[in-house]
Amino acid sequence: MSDIGDWFKNIPFITRYWFAGSIAVPLIGKLGLIGPMYLVLWPEAFFHKFQLWRPLSATLYFPVGPGTGFLYMVNLYFLYQYSSRLETGAFEGKPADYIFMLLFNWICIVLLMIPLIMSVLYVWAQLNRDTIVSFWFGTRFKACYLPWVILGFNYIIGGSVVNELIGNLVGHLYFFLMFKYPMDLGGRSFLSTPQFLYNWLPNRRGGVSGFGVPPSRRPMPQEQAGGGGGGGGRYNWGQGFRLGDD
């Protein structure tokens, strides 16, 4: 049990509580301690009966059963793997920025579990787009294709692809507005982390990192003019941890 406890304590802070909640809430519903109807998002109950916990419980709840158990375990694995890698990579030492990304995706996704996980996976895949990842049966490909491979895989095994598609689209929206458009295309920044999140979760130094970094700041024209011929204004989006090199 101490090994499990040590492993759990080593999960990055935000991912740890998200992961634990995604186990605890479905278990509570499965055991009947709280009826599943009290855990899902029901707008009338939220707005008129002031059941304010529903947006959070709906994000963590999954109807685990004989036909959904495998899908649940796969998405729990994705949550652990790719949220941990984002939190210890591109968002290392920046918990407020990571919480803001989750909140932005959470609101766009209308508070559902699988799309939120897929949106995080999509952002990780874009920040590590040239990293080679391994999938089922030893297949290997660039990380930028991973969200779409998972979508196709779920379609083949008979699952709905709506959740995965919504997650990918919301992840792309966040990535484009936060990184691609302002940093690579030189546009204005439409997203920024609110100051109250920095007050609550200030940036910190140190820790484990190395799973990918966001693109660097776009050089200003005067910096490019005096930089000694460094090439164009494009960025290497593929820095990151190579899976399968254990």
Side-chain angles (χ1 to χ4, degrees):
M1 292 297 292
S2 61
D3 291 341
I4 296 177
D6 292 340
W7 167 79
F8 181 73
K9 291 177 182 178
N10 287 329
I11 298 175
F13 175 75
I14 297 170
T15 302
R16 185 193 316 158
Y17 285 98
W18 184 13
F19 183 78
S22 297
I23 295 175
V25 173
L27 184 61
I28 289 171
K30 182 68 174 178
L31 296 176
L33 301 178
I34 299 177
M37 286 302 298
Y38 288 95
L39 300 174
V40 299
L41 183 62
W42 184 19
E44 182 179 351
F46 176 72
F47 289 109
H48 299 294
K49 298 182 179 180
F50 300 103
Q51 296 178 359
L52 303 181
W53 67 84
R54 286 183 179 269
L56 179 60
S57 64
T59 306
L60 301 173
Y61 177 68
F62 190 90
V64 181
T68 61
F70 176 74
L71 181 62
Y72 169 71
M73 294 300 295
V74 167
N75 280 278
L76 201 62
Y77 169 80
F78 289 155
L79 187 164
Y80 167 72
Q81 285 282 10
Y82 296 103
S83 179
S84 295
R85 289 173 179 176
L86 265 186
E87 193 175 348
T88 58
F91 294 91
E92 166 63 20
K94 297 180 285 187
D97 291 332
Y98 191 58
I99 284 287
F100 176 69
M101 184 200 74
L102 292 178
L103 288 174
F104 176 84
N105 292 358
W106 183 59
I107 292 170
C108 292
I109 283 165
V110 199
L111 323 173
L112 295 175
M113 179 183 184
I114 292 179
L116 184 59
I117 295 172
M118 288 301 301
S119 70
V120 169
L121 187 152
Y122 184 93
V123 173
W124 178 87
Q126 292 305 309
L127 291 175
N128 298 269
R129 58 183 301 110
D130 291 329
T131 299
I132 303 300
V133 299
S134 298
F135 197 62
W136 295 93
F137 311 114
T139 56
R140 293 167 65 84
F141 45 82
K142 290 186 176 182
C144 59
Y145 301 120
L146 180 61
W148 306 106
V149 171
I150 292 172
L151 186 149
F153 178 77
N154 284 343
Y155 178 77
I156 292 173
I157 64 176
S160 171
V161 298
V162 174
N163 286 331
E164 288 78 7
L165 182 60
I166 292 173
N168 288 353
L169 293 177
V170 170
H172 180 77
L173 178 63
Y174 173 84
F175 177 78
F176 182 81
L177 294 178
M178 180 60 80
F179 296 124
K180 184 72 173 178
Y181 185 65
M183 294 183 179
D184 200 36
L185 302 180
R188 60 170 294 187
S189 177
F190 290 98
L191 292 180
S192 61
T193 304
Q195 184 59 42
F196 78 88
L197 287 178
Y198 287 122
N199 295 337
W200 179 40
L201 296 167
N203 289 351
R204 59 180 184 269
R205 297 179 180 274
V208 179
S209 62
F211 290 111
V213 295
S216 58
R217 178 178 62 88
R218 183 180 179 88
M220 300 299 291
Q222 59 269 29
E223 294 175 336
Q224 292 178 329
R234 310 295 292 180
Y235 296 91
N236 179 5
W237 299 85
Q239 303 175 52
F241 179 75
R242 296 181 65 84
L243 303 182
D245 294 339
D246 297 333

